[in-house]
Amino acid sequence: MAVRRAAAAGMNTLQLFTAIPRFYNEKIGVKPERAERFRIALEETGIIASNAMAHAAYVLNVATDDETKWPRAAAGLTMELDRACTLGLGLVCFHPGSAKGGDRDAAIARVGRAIRQALETVEGPTRLVVENTAGAGHTIGRTAAEVAAILEHVPAGLRPRTGYGLDTCHLFASGHDMAESAAAQAAIIDQFVAATGEDPSFFHLNDSEGALGSNRDRHTLIGEGAIGIEPFRWLLADSRSRGIPLILETPQATPEVADDDASADEWDERMIRLLKDLATSGQARQSTPEGSPGVA
C-alpha cells in the first residue's frame, strides 16, 4: 500500500519501513506472500524497486557501548538489510546512533563494525548507507568527517555496498547553513564528497522546524520551516541530486489511513507539485546566458 499511495501522489520512488520501527526486529523476516504483493504493486505502478529504499528502525543504536544492546542493534541492522534484499530495494539507510559512553572514535568504530557484519552476513545488491544526523546529544554522523570515518571502517571489498545520504533538515539543524546561498549549499555538499570520496546516495528533502544549529530533528513541510523554499530549488539544480532517490519525510495531512486506502495524501501531492515546479524553474534559469548551475 505504501507503493500505491506513493504512485497516487505522483512519485516514482519511495521509502518505507520493512518492520515496525519501534523494535529491534532482529528475528523478523519478510513472508513470501507479502513480498509477492509488494512486487505486484511495483509492477502495476511502474515504480522500480532498485530505486526505492528502506529506513532502518530508530532504536538501532549501533554506536552504543552497551554490551547487551549493541549485539541486538547490530543484528537488527543485519535483518533490515536482509528484508530489503528480499524486497529487491536499492538502499537501506540508517541513523548511526549515539555515543553515550562519550568516546566518539570508539563509537564510530562500532558503527563501522555493524555495517561490516551486515554486509558480510547478507549477500545481494542492496546497499547499506549512513544518514547524517541533526547532532543532538552524543549522536554520531553530524559532520562530513564523522560520516567518512564510519565508512573508513568498512573493508575495501565491501565499500561498493555502502555509502551515505544527506537529510536537509539534519544538515541545517547540525549547523550547516544550506539556506545561506546556492554557493554555500554546494560547498557543504562538497565537504561530504571530499571527505568520503563519493557523492551522496540519496537526499531526504525536509524543511526544519528548528533554527540553524538547533540540533532539533523536527521536519516540516518545505517552505514552512527555517530553511524555506529557495534552497530546495538550488539543491534540485545541483547535478548531485540527480539519478538518486529524493525522499520526502514531511508531515502528512492524514497520517493514519485505512489499510485498504490507496489514495494519495494531499500534503504529499502538494509537496510533489512544489518540487516539480522548483526543478523546472531551476533548469530554466540554468539555460539562460547569465545563469549558472545551482545559482538562482
Side-chain angles (χ1 to χ4, degrees), residues 72-89:
R72 289 194 66 194
L77 189 64
T78 296
M79 285 306 298
E80 294 279 4
L81 182 60
D82 182 81
R83 292 191 295 270
C85 281
T86 299
L87 295 172
L89 302 178

Side-chain angles (χ1 to χ4, degrees), residues 275-295:
L275 290 171
K276 286 182 176 179
D277 287 345
L278 292 178
T280 301
S281 61
Q283 292 170 2
R285 293 185 186 191
Q286 286 187 55
S287 66
T288 60
E290 69 274 12
S292 61
V295 177

Side-chain angles (χ1 to χ4, degrees), residues 216-273:
R216 296 186 65 204
D217 185 3
R218 295 290 183 271
H219 303 176
T220 64
L221 295 170
I222 294 171
E224 296 186 5
I227 296 176
I229 290 177
E230 199 64 16
F232 291 91
R233 192 194 318 272
W234 306 333
L235 181 57
L236 294 174
D238 191 309
S239 62
R240 291 166 295 192
S241 72
R242 296 171 193 159
I244 60 174
L246 305 176
I247 303 293
L248 287 165
E249 293 181 322
T250 46
Q252 295 189 307
T254 310
E256 299 294 333
V257 296
D259 290 343
D260 60 351
D261 185 354
S263 61
D265 185 89
E266 62 178 289
W267 288 359
D268 283 347
E269 291 181 299
R270 177 174 140 203
M271 290 294 97
I272 289 295
R273 287 195 300 270

